Every structure is written in structure tokens, then in C-alpha cells.
Amino acid sequence: MSTQTLLRERPALSHTGAHWATGADLGVLADVFDETVTIAIMQRQLDSAMRVSIAAQCAAQPWQLSWRGAPDTTLEQALIRSMPAPQQADAVVSDVRLLAEAMACLFDVDAVGIRMRLLDGAMCPRFHCDNLPVRLVTTYSGPGSEWVPEVALNRAGLGKPLPGKPELVRDIGAIRQLAAGDVCLLKGSGWVGNEERGIVHRSPAVAAGHTRLLLTIDPEFS
């Protein structure tokens, strides 16, 4: 089944929260176009072939790939060249290409920007919102990204901590965390009409001696 078909077969929008949508299929990502939605999450369980492929790429020192272009065979070749265990990379490479194709299809772009990193620490540990239209994020291994429902936020607390600035998160018990394998679209403040509602999120803490394999994909708008 093609990426386009998977995206089209999404049923009518069904919210599980005030501004988020979740589902078990790729089509849920299209819900990000609803003006009320600031995060769309595809919840999934990684199969055994994916877990073996991921584990092989995590059995190394931290590494990273930055790449821009069309989501075609050149992307696959770049991924294989960059991965520490290319002989066991097929499942991961196929998944990255599928997600890259989904982004290109959803946002009608010819190219995407990809970053894939094996991290041994939090990349953006402070809660923030991105000043860009939208970003796909998935954690293949390790703790997933954390995000905060709007009702638990005081947006006056965004930015660098300063004396007298209020706490950003009103209720730390409301913080949500994505599971490894979940795929989400984060709508940022650069999305027209969403300037004051960019989803607030952060990188999770990574325990000493552990790693996190993270993929982000941005549509390359002309």
C-alpha cells in the first residue's frame, strides 16, 4: 500500500484531547491540519525486525546524520553510509524513507530535511516551542519526547528563566511522554494561525550509560 493511500484512509477526526489527536495508523498525522490540533501522534509497536535493526545502530558511540533532499533512493544510500551497522540497517532505513515520503506527501514538498542522532544526553532539556511550522519526531530507542497539554501551561513562562517569571508548567503531573516507536507531528509557532499555540515540548533525560536514537524530519518549503 502506498504512502498516499495510507494517509488518505484516515477516518473522520476524533480527538482524544483538547488539542491533540492519536491513532494507530499513519493517517492520523493528517489531523495536524485541523486548526485545533497542535500535536498528532501515531502510536505503534515496533516489530522484531525493527528492534534488531535499531539495536545494531545503538551499539556504537554517539553518531549523527544531517541530510536534505527528495525521499528516494539517495536518502536510503545516505542512511546506509552513515549508520554504524549498515548490514543490519534495512528495517530502519525503510522506515525512515516511509516517514520522509509521508512528510513530503502531507505538505506537498519535493524535499525534506532529516536529522538522525544517537544521543547520550538530553538535546533540548528545557520546555519550549519550536519557531517553525511543523516537525516530525520519533524516538526509535530510549525515552521519548515529553510534551505538555495547553491546560497545564502558563505561556508567560516560556523562554529563558528570569527573576519574577512564572513557572511554565502549572501541573507537572500533566506532562505527557511519547513511547519509543511513536511518531508525532509537532506544530510550531511558525505555522500560520498557530503563532501563540506552538506545542510545548522537551527532550527527555537520558540515564547515564544509556542512549536515545532520535529521528526528526522537516518539510522543505520553497
Side-chain angles (χ1 to χ4, degrees), residues 14-30:
S14 177
H15 295 303
T16 56
H19 63 93
W20 61 92
T22 61
D25 58 85
L26 194 64
V28 72
L29 300 182

Side-chain angles (χ1 to χ4, degrees), residues 154-208:
N154 181 352
R155 286 186 175 266
L158 276 170
K160 184 178 179 180
L162 295 171
K165 180 177 281 192
E167 290 291 332
L168 174 61
V169 181
R170 302 179 191 272
D171 177 11
I172 60 173
I175 296 172
R176 307 288 184 99
Q177 186 167 27
L178 301 172
D182 287 353
V183 178
C184 74
L185 287 185
L186 305 174
K187 188 185 286 185
S189 59
W191 184 291
V192 175
N194 197 62
E195 292 83 355
E196 306 301 323
R197 298 180 61 248
I199 187 71
V200 173
H201 63 286
R202 71 178 178 187
S203 299
V206 178

Side-chain angles (χ1 to χ4, degrees), residues 37-122:
V37 172
T38 57
I39 180 170
I41 305 167
M42 179 178 74
Q43 298 169 316
R44 63 175 181 168
Q45 297 290 324
L46 300 172
D47 63 27
S48 58
M50 273 291 291
R51 293 196 299 270
V52 169
S53 185
I54 290 165
Q57 312 316 317
C58 293
Q61 295 296 314
W63 59 273
Q64 67 175 354
L65 161 74
S66 294
W67 184 90
R68 283 178 170 80
D72 54 23
T73 56
T74 59
L75 167 59
E76 295 182 345
Q77 292 163 3
L79 287 165
I80 291 172
R81 287 194 302 268
S82 297
M83 289 187 175
Q87 300 87 351
Q88 296 171 284
D90 286 354
V92 173
V93 169
S94 295
D95 194 67
V96 174
R97 179 171 178 178
L98 173 68
L99 297 178
E101 289 176 342
M103 286 295 278
C105 179
L106 273 173
F107 297 101
D108 193 23
V109 295
D110 295 326
V112 295
I114 288 177
R115 293 188 72 184
M116 194 167 187
R117 288 157 283 192
L118 181 65
L119 304 165
D120 57 5

